[in-house]
Amino acid sequence: MTRFADLPREEQRRRMEETVRTYFDGCNEADVDKMSSQFTDNAVHYFPPGLDGPWIGARAIAENWRRLVMTIGSAWSIERIIGEPESLQAAIEWTHWKTALGGYLRGDEWYKFDPETGKITEIRAFYASSADGREALTLEGYDYEANLYQMDTPVPRPHPDAVAARAN
């Protein structure tokens, strides 16, 4: 079988989108097997602080979403999806409908895909949440430095214009 990373770029892009959509179909169907089959066994789903994350393992991810379907009436829609075969990543914008609570949540997620199988290895969820006084609002358990994220502000602060305005 051909490695996912060796497929033509458009085929990779198509399969990335199909994998994410199948995962979301499984979420909406509360189908643990359908969801978990889209992940590598050791996949990780990261969340903003205070949301009991990260969830580790394909089965744990799927069982947690099923639990939310059953308890708060969760349902999801994909609003937009972008696949980038060159980095084996995709980004989506979604809505998480919480029908039993009468509300919804909008957010974005970054997906990483396994170069061998094309299955999801990682999801990083980002969405609006109330600031709770923390200095840094980051995903709990995610190693930003190891994943080569900028660890300091990219430009000097305060801005020179702000300094000049304060002096006047």
Side-chain angles (χ1 to χ4, degrees), residues 82-146:
I82 299 170
E84 184 183 74
E86 296 77 12
S87 66
L88 297 174
Q89 294 186 86
I92 72 165
E93 184 177 19
W94 48 256
T95 303
H96 177 179
W97 308 96
K98 300 177 180 186
T99 61
L101 304 175
Y104 63 92
L105 173 67
R106 296 195 191 276
D108 299 295
E109 291 175 336
W110 277 93
Y111 288 73
K112 283 188 177 181
F113 296 86
D114 178 63
E116 297 298 321
T117 64
K119 291 184 176 188
I120 300 164
T121 62
E122 177 181 287
I123 300 175
R124 296 187 323 271
F126 299 91
Y127 41 92
S129 60
S130 300
D132 61 359
R134 296 174 199 234
E135 272 186 39
L137 297 175
T138 60
L139 296 172
E140 288 183 351
Y142 187 73
D143 190 346
Y144 287 89
E145 189 167 13

Side-chain angles (χ1 to χ4, degrees), residues 19-39 45 47 55 58-71 73-78 92 94-97 109 111 120 123:
T19 298
V20 173
R21 289 189 184 282
T22 300
Y23 162 55
F24 269 69
D25 289 345
C27 289
N28 283 327
E29 296 162 11
D31 184 330
V32 170
D33 291 333
K34 189 172 192 174
M35 284 183 269
S36 61
S37 70
Q38 303 310 302
F39 292 93
H45 195 320
F47 295 92
W55 295 344
R59 197 93 188 152
I61 294 166
E63 288 171 352
N64 278 311
W65 288 132
R66 177 176 169 74
R67 177 179 51 81
L68 290 174
V69 169
M70 298 301 134
T71 58
S74 291
W76 296 266
S77 56
I78 296 174
I92 72 165
W94 48 256
T95 303
H96 177 179
W97 308 96
E109 291 175 336
Y111 288 73
I120 300 164
I123 300 175

